[in-house]
Amino acid sequence: MDVIASFFAAQPPALLWGLGGVLGVLTLAVAITAALPRLRPGGDFTNLRQRINSWWVMIALLAAALLLGWIAVTILFVVISFIALREFLSLAHIRPEDRLIVLLAYLCIPISYAFIAIDRYGMYLVFIPVYVFMFLPFAMTWIGQTRAFLATAATFHWGLVTCVYNLGYAAFLMRAPLTDHLPAGPAGLVFFLLVATEANDVMQYVWGKLLGRRKIIPKVSPNKTWEGFLGGWATTAALIWFLGPVFTPLSGLGLAITALALPVAGFAGDVTMSAIKRDIGVKDSSALIPGHGGLLDRADSLIFTAPLYFHILIFFCLRDF
């Protein structure tokens, strides 16, 4: 018990309060779900219960990693990137002769995250966008098959940038230097990114259900509405503005830009992945997470918000990263 007490005592109070708040919200969601059958007899709330149960598992994994430190977070995101890339490549139209290229793409995951582990931001910055971008098409050339060459090369690069490179920025936040300017430590930076991103998804859904009338991109995502987008944007912007100083060193202009831009980036990630799935002809990337679909379905907004948030922090607060 003393070890456990010492462990939690060493954590930033803001992070513990934040995790406690998330658990409180999930507990409230469970209570509401239990009451819904009485309020709306005959309604089918199976999917809602599945979603909430899955949130408990996801929050438990993320909370444990954040409390354990940067190594645990890095390992968790290695697994997330692997599953996301596997889902993406399983959906994409990959040529049968590209099995070796698929293996090389998977090998990019440990190499990319190794640069996070040794805290080499400069190499992480260019490894996938520059060197892998050049190497994989060259490796494809050795196969000698030019059918759909450009489309296949673009597919591999898109998958690696979104599923590995962009998601890796969330893990790289844990390597932020420990200073008095981080009120909740590096874990607070990651926690705030995840909360803001997922809150934006939830609030866009809620406002869309309550007030949604006018479709925003009907050919891509028929259920998305202007009311949902604007309501989610305003709610998330307010959340970022008031909670940002608690978990991040952002203030003033940097905080304002984050509040205005992050919800838009989350929406952009969501609808962009929807366009890809619509082009392929699938609704979900997999059935891995009950009630949510695949991991890529759950992480689509984070793909866009993680690098934006990281670079806003670099520009305004963490110039010595």
Side-chain angles (χ1 to χ4, degrees):
M1 292 298 293
D2 291 339
V3 174
I4 295 175
S6 299
F7 173 77
F8 282 101
Q11 304 296 331
L15 178 63
L16 296 178
W17 279 106
L19 291 172
V22 171
L23 293 178
V25 171
L26 282 177
T27 302
L28 178 61
V30 170
I32 293 174
T33 305
L36 281 175
R38 297 182 180 181
L39 299 175
R40 295 178 56 185
D44 185 6
F45 303 104
T46 302
N47 182 262
L48 181 59
R49 284 193 291 269
Q50 288 178 334
R51 281 176 170 266
I52 294 174
N53 290 338
S54 296
W55 271 120
W56 278 107
V57 176
M58 289 186 287
I59 293 299
L61 290 173
L62 289 167
L66 290 174
L67 292 173
L68 289 172
W70 72 265
I71 295 177
V73 172
T74 302
I75 292 172
L76 177 62
F77 272 89
V78 166
V79 175
I80 290 173
S81 286
F82 174 80
I83 295 173
L85 184 62
R86 185 185 64 181
E87 289 181 349
F88 180 83
L89 293 179
S90 69
L91 297 176
H93 301 295
I94 301 299
R95 304 175 304 182
E97 59 267 25
D98 286 321
R99 290 187 293 272
L100 175 61
I101 310 303
V102 172
L103 175 61
L104 293 175
Y106 283 127
L107 288 176
C108 292
I109 298 175
I111 297 174
S112 183
Y113 279 93
F115 292 125
I116 297 178
I118 63 176
D119 200 10
R120 291 294 183 267
Y121 173 63
M123 282 304 301
Y124 181 83
L125 191 66
V126 298
F127 174 63
I128 287 178
V130 178
Y131 295 109
V132 174
F133 172 77
M134 295 186 294
F135 175 73
L136 280 189
F138 173 68
M140 290 170 56
T141 303
W142 284 101
I143 297 174
Q145 174 60 262
T146 59
R147 176 182 57 86
F149 184 93
L150 183 59
T152 303
T155 297
F156 277 111
H157 190 62
W158 173 264
L160 285 168
V161 169
T162 54
C163 300
V164 183
Y165 183 69
N166 282 12
L167 288 178
Y169 275 110
F172 219 135
L173 288 168
M174 291 294 293
R175 305 297 277 151
L178 290 171
T179 69
D180 294 336
H181 299 295
L182 294 181
L189 299 177
V190 182
F191 172 80
F192 184 69
L193 167 65
L194 298 175
V195 167
T197 300
E198 298 307 324
N200 185 51
D201 285 350
V202 171
M203 294 315 299
Q204 285 187 12
Y205 173 81
V206 170
W207 284 110
K209 283 292 185 181
L210 292 175
L211 303 175
R213 296 292 184 274
R214 290 176 286 274
K215 306 296 183 182
I216 186 168
I217 313 179
K219 291 184 178 180
V220 175
S221 188
N223 294 325
K224 299 288 186 185
T225 64
W226 277 104
E227 292 82 1
F229 165 67
L230 293 174
W233 173 80
T235 306
T236 307
L239 176 74
I240 292 171
W241 180 258
F242 288 107
L243 292 185
V246 178
F247 296 99
T248 78
L250 290 167
S251 62
L253 180 61
L255 182 59
I257 291 174
T258 305
L260 294 174
L262 210 65
V264 178
F267 173 80
D270 189 353
V271 296
T272 300
M273 293 307 299
S274 293
I276 292 173
K277 289 183 288 185
R278 186 166 290 273
D279 175 47
I280 295 172
V282 298
K283 182 179 182 296
D284 298 321
S285 59
S286 76
L288 177 66
I289 308 175
H292 293 266
L295 188 147
L296 198 53
D297 298 308
R298 189 66 274 146
D300 51 8
S301 298
L302 187 64
I303 286 169
F304 277 45
T305 60
L308 174 64
Y309 174 71
F310 183 96
H311 289 113
I312 288 175
L313 285 168
I314 290 289
F315 186 82
F316 285 101
C317 309
L318 304 174
R319 292 181 178 86
D320 296 328
F321 198 93

